[in-house]
Amino acid sequence: MKLYYAPGACSLAAHIILNEINVDFDLVRVDLKTHLTEKGVDYYQINPKGYVPALEINPGLILTEIVAILPFLAQHDPKQDLIPPSGFGRAKVLEWLGYLNSELHDAYAVFFQGELDEAAKKKGYAEIDRLFSYIDAAIAKAEHEYLVDDNFGPADAYLFVLTNWSKTIGHDLTPYSNVMALRKKVRQRQSVEIALRDEGLIK
C-alpha cells in the first residue's frame, strides 16, 4: 500500500493505523500548496479532490476520505482489536469518525483558510470549545479506556491528530482533562511515535 500524506494533516491518523497493523507501505509526501508529490507528480492525477489522504491499495486502486480509509485499514488488524467486525461496536466507531470529521475537523479548518480577525478567531475558538465540551463529557461518562471500547482504534487516532491542531492555532485544550488524558495515552503508543518521527514532526 501507499499513503499520500502531508505532515500533521489528518492523513497522520491513517499513518498511525498503518503502523498499528504492521504492513509494508510506502509514504509519499504531498505539497498541498503546489499539489505536487515529493517527486513532482501532479497530485490531482492521483486524487482529483486535491487533498490528503489518498491510499493506493494496489496500482491504480485508490481510496480517499479519512473516514473511509481508517476503517478499511483497521479491519486488517491481525489481532482483530482495532475495530469491531460488525454490529453496534463497529457502528459506534463510524459514529465517532463521522462526528470528528463533519464537526471537529471542520471547526479547525476555519483557521487554515486564511487570516482571521479577532472576532472570527473568537467565534472559531468558541465552536471548537463547544465540540470539546461534548467530547470531554462523553469520555467522562464512558466505562472504557478509549472512545469506543477498551481497545485503541481509528477514532482515537483521528481525535489525537485533531487535538494536535490546537497548538497550531493557539487553542487551549487544558480545560478538557478527559480529552487530555486520552490524548496522552494515545501519544505513548509506538505507532504514534514512529508516525510523528517519519513525518518530521518530532526528532
Side-chain angles (χ1 to χ4, degrees), residues 16 156-164 183 186-187 192 196:
I16 291 168
D156 306 295
Y158 195 10
L159 178 61
F160 172 79
V161 172
L162 294 176
T163 60
N164 284 347
R183 173 184 160 75
V186 172
R187 176 62 181 85
V192 176
L196 292 172

Side-chain angles (χ1 to χ4, degrees), residues 1 18 20 23 38 56 59 67 90-91 117 122 125-126 135 148-149 181 194 201:
M1 285 188 276
L18 279 164
E20 287 280 341
V23 297
E38 59 195 77
E56 187 170 9
V67 294
R90 191 180 184 93
D117 61 27
K122 185 176 180 180
Y125 290 146
I135 296 169
V148 174
D149 52 30
I194 293 170
L201 300 172

Side-chain angles (χ1 to χ4, degrees), residues 1 14-25 72-79 82 191:
M1 285 188 276
H15 190 174
I16 291 168
I17 298 299
L18 279 164
N19 288 338
E20 287 280 341
I21 62 177
N22 195 28
V23 297
D24 292 330
F25 65 94
F72 175 81
L73 291 174
Q75 70 189 14
H76 288 78
D77 171 28
K79 302 185 298 298
L82 284 178
S191 61

Side-chain angles (χ1 to χ4, degrees), residues 4 15 69 71 78 88 101 104 124 134 136 157 183 197-198:
Y4 293 86
H15 190 174
I69 291 172
F88 186 73
N101 184 248
L104 189 58
Y134 166 76
D136 200 69
R183 173 184 160 75
R197 184 195 66 207
D198 287 352

Side-chain angles (χ1 to χ4, degrees), residues 65-193:
E65 303 298 337
I66 191 67
V67 294
I69 291 172
L70 288 176
F72 175 81
L73 291 174
Q75 70 189 14
H76 288 78
D77 171 28
K79 302 185 298 298
Q80 292 296 304
D81 62 9
L82 284 178
I83 188 169
S86 60
F88 186 73
R90 191 180 184 93
K92 290 299 291 184
V93 174
L94 299 180
E95 179 185 47
W96 269 113
L97 291 176
Y99 182 77
L100 294 173
N101 184 248
S102 65
E103 299 291 337
L104 189 58
H105 190 144
D106 276 4
Y108 277 113
V110 170
F111 289 85
F112 301 129
Q113 295 170 355
E115 288 294 324
L116 300 178
D117 61 27
E118 287 306 310
K121 285 183 180 180
K122 185 176 180 180
K123 182 179 179 181
Y125 290 146
E127 176 62 6
I128 291 172
D129 285 330
R130 182 183 72 83
L131 299 171
F132 271 119
S133 294
Y134 166 76
I135 296 169
D136 200 69
I139 296 171
K141 289 188 292 185
E143 297 180 352
H144 36 73
E145 289 193 39
Y146 292 96
L147 285 177
V148 174
D149 52 30
D150 287 330
N151 298 315
F152 169 79
D156 306 295
Y158 195 10
L159 178 61
F160 172 79
V161 172
L162 294 176
T163 60
N164 284 347
W165 297 352
S166 275
K167 183 176 182 180
T168 303
I169 67 170
H171 171 258
D172 184 13
L173 273 176
T174 56
Y176 309 105
S177 58
N178 299 295
V179 171
M180 292 292 286
L182 180 57
R183 173 184 160 75
K184 182 179 180 181
K185 190 184 305 181
V186 172
R187 176 62 181 85
Q188 293 170 345
R189 299 185 72 84
Q190 185 179 31
S191 61
V192 176
E193 179 77 12

